Amino acid sequence: MAVIMLGPPGAGKGTQARMMAEALQLPHISTGDMLREALKNQTELGKKAKEYMDAGDLVPDELVDAIIAERLTREDCSRGFILDGYPRNISQARFLQSLFDKSGTRILSIGVKVDDGVLIKRLSSRWTCPKCNKMFNANLDPTKIGGKCDECGTALIQRKDDSAEVIAERLHVYYTLTRPLIQLYQEQGSYVEVDGNRPVEDVFNSIMEKVTNYE
Ligand code: AMP
């Protein structure tokens, strides 16, 4: 089964996807993480993606579709996987469906709903580990050792696209291009929703309940 995390930037998709991946022993596949890695390594993909990412806009479909198609062929995806940040628009959802039609993969999409005010606060106080991609919140979830990742000790950074201006664009992109996916998956009967305004553990418990009860 493919679990698809849906929700605006800052909803906690990455954190929840990581926790789920650990609990279910499935790979966590984040297009944002893959693109940031490509950017860091200055690959061709990274160079092409940079201007879009810096502006908070979507990277062209053909680039992300290609990285997803390749990633899903790997052995670790054979039991299922958790998609975080993909699909991001209707065209990507159609592309993904064409892959799943071939492999017979079923979808469970999980929408994490969070109020706009909470999102902006979370994103602007978010710190990220550039090595293991774990996220921390300066207000809600401070690190044990100031400014360092609890898991690997790497110095945390603030993502360039977590600046106020880029956050506004990312939210706009979400509402115009990504949110329509909710209706698409609702019509397919593969959509469930959780309230993401609550503490991380409570959201996680709700998600696991939905995953376990999904027929
Ligand atoms: P994220 O970490 O998911 O918030 O993604 C960070 C940035 O990477 C986004 O603002 C986009 O520029 C780009 N990105 C990530 N996933 C996709 C996708 N599925 N389609 C297009 N661009 C993406």
Side-chain angles (χ1 to χ4, degrees):
M1 178 162 51
V3 176
I4 296 176
M5 299 301 288
L6 281 178
K13 298 185 301 291
T15 301
Q16 295 296 334
R18 196 164 291 115
M19 289 165 81
M20 235 191 302
E22 199 178 320
L24 301 169
Q25 288 293 296
L26 293 176
H28 167 210
I29 300 176
S30 155
T31 39
D33 286 351
M34 289 194 273
L35 290 167
R36 276 184 290 279
E37 190 65 24
L39 215 79
K40 199 167 78 189
N41 297 331
Q42 299 191 5
T43 64
E44 275 311 303
L45 170 67
K47 286 181 200 157
K48 286 184 190 150
K50 185 177 176 357
E51 60 173 305
Y52 300 97
M53 295 176 75
D54 284 351
D57 292 327
L58 294 187
V59 169
D61 293 339
E62 61 271 21
L63 298 179
V64 275
D65 288 348
I67 57 176
I68 280 292
E70 188 281 324
R71 180 66 186 85
L72 298 187
T73 59
R74 294 205 212 151
E75 177 58 31
D76 63 344
C77 293
S78 59
R79 271 184 53 244
F81 42 86
I82 296 156
L83 289 175
D84 164 17
Y86 184 95
R88 263 315 217 273
N89 59 25
I90 296 279
S91 152
Q92 293 179 14
R94 291 214 179 101
F95 178 79
L96 188 66
Q97 193 57 52
S98 71
L99 298 179
F100 290 172
D101 286 345
K102 283 183 212 146
S103 59
T105 307
R106 287 176 64 217
I107 291 175
L108 168 60
S109 61
I110 303 177
V112 185
K113 255 195 119 176
V114 175
D115 304 332
D116 265 6
V118 177
L119 294 175
I120 293 168
K121 245 190 234 150
R122 279 191 194 171
L123 288 169
S124 44
S125 56
R126 179 160 91 168
W127 289 80
T128 309
C129 173
K131 192 162 175 219
C132 66
N133 298 312
K134 196 171 154 61
M135 277 165 286
F136 298 87
N137 186 294
N139 304 325
L140 304 172
D141 172 31
T143 55
K144 293 190 190 99
I145 311 167
K148 299 256 171 80
C149 175
D150 285 351
E151 299 219 338
C152 67
T154 306
L156 300 178
I157 55 159
Q158 254 187 320
R159 267 171 53 175
K160 209 172 165 187
D161 60 351
D162 279 344
S163 66
E165 213 174 76
V166 184
I167 289 171
E169 176 61 11
R170 288 164 67 206
L171 286 175
H172 173 72
V173 166
Y174 170 76
Y175 286 116
T176 51
L177 299 175
T178 312
R179 196 166 59 171
L181 296 181
I182 293 180
Q183 198 187 341
L184 180 88
Y185 290 125
Q186 254 167 350
E187 283 167 7
Q188 286 183 7
S190 64
Y191 179 77
V192 296
E193 194 165 83
V194 294
D195 173 6
N197 292 295
R198 299 166 301 154
V200 171
E201 284 298 334
D202 294 357
V203 180
F204 181 62
N205 290 337
S206 299
I207 289 180
M208 289 306 283
E209 207 179 289
K210 306 261 187 202
V211 171
T212 316
N213 294 329
Y214 189 66
E215 294 292 325

